[in-house]
Structures are given as structure tokens and as C-alpha cells.
Amino acid sequence: MSEEKKIKRKKIEATTVMNKYMSDYFYELDSASKTGDKKIAWCTSVGPSELLLSLGFLVYYPENHGALLGTSRLATEVIPAANALGYSPDICSYLTADIGAYVQGVTPLSKAFEGIEGVPKPDVLIFNTNQCRDVKDWFAWYAKKLNVPFYGIHTQRNPTDIDDTIVPSIAKQIENLVEPLEKISGNKFDMEKLKKAVALSRECSELWKKVLETAASRPSPLTFFDGTIHMGPAVVLRGTQHAVDYYKILLKELEERVINHEGAVEDEQHRIYWDGMPVWGRLRPHSELFTSLKACVLASTYCNSWIFTDFDPEDPFTSMAKAYTELFIVRSDETKEKYMQRMIDLYKIDGIIFHDAKTCPNNSNNRYGMPQRLEQKIGIPSLTINGDLNDLRLISDEQTKTNIEAFIEQLEENKK
Ligand code: SF4
């Protein structure tokens, strides 16, 4: 029997329910785009979705589309079309893949969902620079191309403390969006609706957190690679009842696995933390590689980025400002290191993989000495792999495999 055939990846049964919710989501957007019966807002992945939902918008996330371009491996083909418009191959490959796909008139949505021919047309574009500047440049291109208004929130980057020197100004920027969004949506702002959306986002976050924390069990019932797929509802459906319903189902299944000591990786021997973005076009091979080495990549900064425990329905604007600024990606290295120390402790981690994604410095935390500082502080070894989230031309599969195999061997030696 070949090595490949021996690798079994455990299926998560709840996936069928998730696929249904995601399909409903895309068909609703497609229908609104075709009929104009509902307004559509494009929003950055950690933008103020709750405000948009409260005003009756359907919310579409171009970064999610960027990830779909990655998983479908279309990204590498379409990126050069954006490069030809002057968007460098060194900047965000979500941006270049998404714009490249638009100018070439292709989308992975067409293949996944029969009848959908393109991305939904926006009525407004809303960004938050909390994660990077690229999202603003990205939306600016569409604003001009499609002649659609765009507004945003400018968040301070790299703070250590999230306090009164920062939060009120961001809360005010979110509040200032109400007036133009009322005009575009044709709906009057309703505080009760906003409170409801914030409450649902909070509930979704709490459940998603519990889902991810099941991985603290030994063996872990889920992997990081599962997490990157199952975070879909937390990204695009937060603020809705569907996301809450879905995570209740997923959590139940994973808790049953924990009770039955069913690991996601057979005979789990090594517990790995993944820092940085996934390589979307290599999720399956990476998952299989680690499984074959009896190593479970079980926790990550990336999947945890959609946990917003600061949402407070009683104080929606301030709590949204806080939640969307407390994110890992926004913070100083000092804060990030403290956070990772807690994660490494909670998940009983043996080793860390840092993914240095060439086109996303914002999600690559290895570049200013963090792996070395962490190893000195907590004695956990790490490996940096060079790659990218979407652009497969920036990846050497052979080198990645050799380096990961050597790293797991090192972890084995450390245990003797
Ligand atoms: S954080 Fe990175 S991957 Fe995400 S939009 Fe910004 S540059 Fe792109």
C-alpha cells in the first residue's frame, strides 16, 4: 500500500451543515446582486459587520473570496493580471488574486455554486485598516472601477495597551459611518438591531472559542487545517443566528470526540502551534504531511483571530471598537508574545511553526526576532517555513517537506 493511501483524515460530520449555510449565504448574495432587492456591503474581514447587518445590508467579504481563490489554486493563475495593473507581486496576494480574478472575469464561486457567475455587486465598500493598509488600497480600486462609495475606519497599528487613548476615536469613526450608510441602505439606524447583531457576534465568538479550545485535550479532536475551513461561518456569518446554530452543532461533535478520546490525528505524538496564515492551496498536502508524521497542528493564531470576546450588546460602538482593535494582528510584539505563551501553555505545545508568508508581513511574526525570543523564554523550539497564503510560485514544496520532517525528528529527539 502506498504511503498516501495509509493517511486517513478524520471527517467532521458537521461539515454538511456548514456547507448548506455557506451555500445559502452565497445564493442570497447572488440573488440580491441580480435583483437589487437587498443592498450589499463589501466589508474587510475584521470590519464592522454588525453595523452593516443592523442596517439591513447583506455582507460580502472579499478576503473570503481571496481564500477561495487560494484553495481552488486559481490565485496563482490570476495574480499576474493584477500585477499588470501595477499591483506588485510583493503585496497582499489576496488583493492581487481578487483583483486579477475580477479583471479576468473568473471566480471559484461559479464552480462551487451552480448559477453563480460572478461576485455580488456592491452598493458600498467598508474597510478597517486594523489588519493592514492593503485592504484600503484593495477597496479603493473597486470604488473607482465600480463607481461605488467607500468608507473606512483607520485604526492605530501595533499598540500594546488598548485604552482610552485609542478606543473612543475608533468608536467615533464607527458611529460616523451610520449617516452615510443610512442613506445608502435606505434604512434608519436602529440601536436595538445593532445590539442584537453584536449579541449574536458575541455568542458566535464564545462558541468558536470553545470549539478551538477542545484542541487542548490530548489527543486533539481537531486540527488547524480543519479550523481554517470551519472558521468560515465565524468570518462571513457572525452577527447572524446561523453562525450560532452551526457552532453549537460542531462543538457537540468535537466534545463527543473528546469524551471518546478520538484524535483528529491517529496516534498523536507531537503537538504543534501554527503561527501565520495557512497556505490555502496546500491545505490537504500539509494536513497529510503532519498526519503521516503523527504530529497534530492543533492551534493557531489565525483561527483564534475570529474570537471577539469584547463585544458587549449594552455598549455596541465602544465594544466593537475594542474587539476589533484587541486583535492579535493589530498588536505589538510584546503583547503577541505574551498571548502566544498562554496559548502554548493551554494547548501543551511541543513546537511552533512560523509561516513567513511572502506577501503578508502583517501575519508573518517571525521577522523581528520573535521565534528566538520565545525559544529563550519558554524553551519551545520553532521552525520558520517560507511560503505564501495564495501565490504558489513562492513556495518550494520539497523544501517545506524536508524542513518539517527534520523539525519533527528534532522534537522526537527532544523527547528521549
Ligand atoms: S492581513 Fe495580509 S492577507 Fe490579510 S488583507 Fe492584509 S496583507 Fe492581505
Side-chain angles (χ1 to χ4, degrees), residues 63 92 94 131-132 134-135 138 277 329 359-360 362-363 389:
E63 283 153 80
C92 175
Y94 273 171
Q131 58 192 94
C132 61
D134 300 58
V135 287
W138 184 352
M277 304 211 50
I329 192 170
T359 71
C360 180
N362 313 287
N363 269 315
L389 48 143

Side-chain angles (χ1 to χ4, degrees), residues 66-182:
L68 292 174
L69 283 158
T71 48
S72 62
R73 289 176 292 282
L74 248 181
T76 308
E77 285 171 38
V78 294
I79 285 171
N83 300 152
L85 297 174
Y87 291 89
S88 160
D90 290 337
I91 64 161
C92 175
S93 58
Y94 273 171
L95 179 163
T96 49
D98 185 65
I99 291 181
Y102 189 85
V103 296
Q104 296 212 335
V106 292
T107 169
L109 295 175
S110 303
K111 207 166 170 202
F113 306 105
E114 205 185 334
I116 296 186
E117 281 146 22
V119 296
K121 289 193 289 291
D123 295 288
V124 66
L125 308 158
I126 300 290
F127 66 85
N128 188 339
T129 61
N130 50 359
Q131 58 192 94
C132 61
R133 65 161 278 178
D134 300 58
V135 287
K136 183 178 176 185
D137 290 88
W138 184 352
F139 280 23
W141 184 83
Y142 279 108
K144 195 155 181 243
K145 178 89 186 159
L146 305 175
N147 192 25
V148 171
F150 97 123
Y151 301 95
I153 299 155
H154 293 88
T155 297
Q156 294 91 322
R157 302 254 312 137
N158 305 321
T160 295
D161 300 314
I162 305 300
D163 54 24
D164 281 354
T165 60
I166 297 177
V167 177
S169 79
I170 296 169
K172 187 76 194 140
Q173 291 185 66
I174 303 176
E175 226 174 319
N176 288 346
L177 293 173
V178 169
E179 201 188 317
L181 288 174
E182 277 184 329

Side-chain angles (χ1 to χ4, degrees), residues 316-334:
F317 287 110
T318 304
S319 72
M320 281 169 72
K322 208 161 170 242
Y324 287 128
T325 311
E326 283 225 329
L327 289 174
F328 185 90
I329 192 170
V330 186
R331 313 297 292 282
S332 67
D333 272 16
E334 190 187 335

